[in-house]
Amino acid sequence: MVAAGPLLAQSAGILNRPENFICNYTGRSTSPQVVCNQATASNGHAERVVDRILRPIGLMRNFKVVECSNTDNCFATVLKGQRFIVYDAAFMQGIEEETETDWSAISIMAHEIGHHLQGHTIDGRGGQPQKEIEADKFSGFVLHQLGASLDESVVAVRALGNEHPTPTHPAKPARIDAIRKGWLEAEAMYPKNRLAGKPATAIAPRPVTNSGMTSPVVRPPVVAKAPAAPVRMAVGCVSGDCADGKGVFVYPTRERYVGEFEEGDKHGEGTEYYPDGKLKYRGNFRDNLRTDYGVYYYRNGDRYEGWFARNVPNGKGTYTFADGARFSGVFKNGQPVSRE
């Protein structure tokens, strides 16, 4: 992400001045033998990364980006009224190589910018765990806006966070949770994950016609009518973890999914609702499609219960018509092919 340029000055550097206040990402102490390079040309790439982070929130860069070797860290600091983002190029390159993604370095930069934007470097209260939580949440929000997944947004703190809290930094789980909250807050406001780009149902199974079927009408079992689910006004992930966990996702069509997610897809057990809140499907999903066993409720009052593949009935199942007639057999691509 950032390449080290030729050192133009070897001195105590801005980090050693007593009036300087520093918020750093890892919480580790800094070597007193730091070497800073304030040449603008050598910081061009890092400045572009800062601009990329600020663009989604509509701000212009007013930070001076400085490379300081031997710090093994990234810092936000203020010196004589000038805001600085200070980074060790070797440290940033190392975390990218360790995590195998440049999102790690970008999230660190976003975290430090968060310190500046929230006034942490000028309030005179020193380093505090709550400041780190706020900067982590900001990082999660921004990385969502830049296109990072939730996993990509937390990769840096997973690698560098402390397992136990310190006087200035919370423990790793608390920091991960803060990033997650920021990412999900952005997702609720500006849904951009993979679910948002897909229709609520890739293929709606076509109702089966009852013409030509000779099976007698069978009294259907008494099934309690599914209560209407409340229609939420928000769009996107409105609660829970819609990346890797259990959550509630509302589509622009107003359809709603409640259930398990994996890498942003419906995956596991879940329930779909029509825009008016009526039950649509309850069962299993894989990679965003209805898969394995489930029950689908058609708008016309029909119901299919059985096996699914590629989002439609495939395999053994029972189709119950609104008038009570029933077909049990084998389905292929949503249509019956043989009776049991």
Side-chain angles (χ1 to χ4, degrees):
M1 172 185 150
V2 283
L7 296 180
L8 301 184
Q10 296 188 6
S11 64
I14 63 172
L15 299 182
N16 291 333
R17 299 184 182 181
E19 69 271 27
N20 190 36
F21 176 79
I22 297 172
C23 292
N24 68 74
Y25 191 79
T26 65
R28 294 194 295 261
S29 60
T30 303
S31 166
Q33 303 301 318
V34 298
V35 181
C36 296
N37 176 9
Q38 300 190 44
T40 302
S42 70
N43 299 316
H45 184 68
E47 289 174 350
R48 287 192 294 273
V49 171
V50 171
D51 291 341
R52 180 183 173 190
I53 292 168
L54 293 173
R55 193 173 299 117
I57 54 179
L59 296 178
M60 298 294 291
R61 170 169 45 90
N62 61 354
F63 314 104
K64 187 172 181 61
V65 182
V66 178
E67 177 188 336
C68 284
S69 61
N70 298 335
T71 60
D72 195 28
N73 224 313
C74 185
F75 304 84
T77 189
V78 174
L79 177 64
K80 295 182 178 180
Q82 172 67 57
R83 294 179 175 183
F84 286 89
I85 296 292
V86 183
Y87 71 93
D88 183 334
F91 166 75
M92 299 294 266
Q93 182 176 350
I95 188 60
E96 286 185 349
E97 292 174 353
E98 179 181 347
T99 60
E100 299 181 342
T101 175
D102 63 353
W103 286 119
S104 53
I106 294 171
S107 68
I108 291 172
M109 279 284 193
H111 173 98
E112 298 309 322
I113 290 172
H115 278 307
H116 276 315
L117 295 183
Q118 297 179 87
H120 296 165
T121 54
I122 59 174
D123 65 4
R125 293 185 295 169
Q128 296 176 339
Q130 183 58 32
K131 291 182 177 181
E132 301 303 320
I133 290 294
E134 292 171 2
D136 282 328
K137 185 178 179 183
F138 174 83
S139 170
F141 189 98
V142 167
L143 261 69
H144 173 279
Q145 298 304 84
L146 293 176
S149 68
L150 181 56
D151 279 343
E152 289 166 334
S153 301
V154 301
V155 67
V157 78
R158 284 191 190 278
L160 298 172
N162 296 315
E163 295 295 337
H164 303 288
T166 70
T168 59
H169 286 66
K172 183 188 301 186
R175 298 189 64 181
I176 291 174
D177 187 59
I179 294 173
R180 172 181 168 275
K181 288 179 179 178
W183 193 96
L184 291 175
E185 182 177 299
E187 175 64 23
M189 297 171 63
Y190 313 103
K192 290 185 179 181
N193 71 5
R194 288 193 290 167
L195 278 174
K198 298 183 179 181
T201 56
I203 301 174
R206 295 195 306 274
V208 175
T209 62
N210 200 9
S211 60
M213 291 189 178
T214 58
S215 60
V217 174
V218 180
R219 183 179 297 275
V222 177
V223 179
K225 185 177 180 181
V231 178
R232 295 177 180 269
M233 297 304 295
V235 173
C237 187
V238 297
S239 68
D241 185 349
C242 299
D244 288 285
K246 294 182 179 180
V248 179
F249 193 96
V250 178
Y251 297 86
T253 61
R254 314 314 302 174
E255 294 199 357
R256 187 166 61 109
Y257 170 78
V258 180
E260 297 178 323
F261 294 82
E262 183 176 293
E263 295 183 355
D265 281 337
K266 295 180 284 190
H267 196 97
E269 295 183 358
T271 303
E272 293 176 312
Y273 295 92
Y274 287 106
D276 60 5
K278 292 183 178 180
L279 183 63
K280 181 176 186 178
Y281 172 82
R282 177 178 288 133
N284 293 282
F285 294 83
R286 187 183 304 164
D287 297 329
N288 217 43
L289 300 177
R290 302 181 201 98
T291 307
D292 299 331
Y293 199 83
V295 183
Y296 190 93
Y297 299 84
Y298 293 83
R299 277 294 201 184
N300 64 1
D302 294 354
R303 185 179 76 252
Y304 169 81
E305 182 172 357
W307 293 91
F308 285 78
R310 299 181 298 278
N311 223 47
V312 296
N314 273 283
K316 291 184 178 181
T318 298
Y319 193 102
T320 304
F321 295 89
D323 63 5
R326 178 187 298 172
F327 173 87
S328 295
V330 177
F331 289 73
K332 184 176 181 180
N333 296 328
Q335 297 299 309
V337 293
S338 64
R339 189 184 302 277
E340 279 188 338

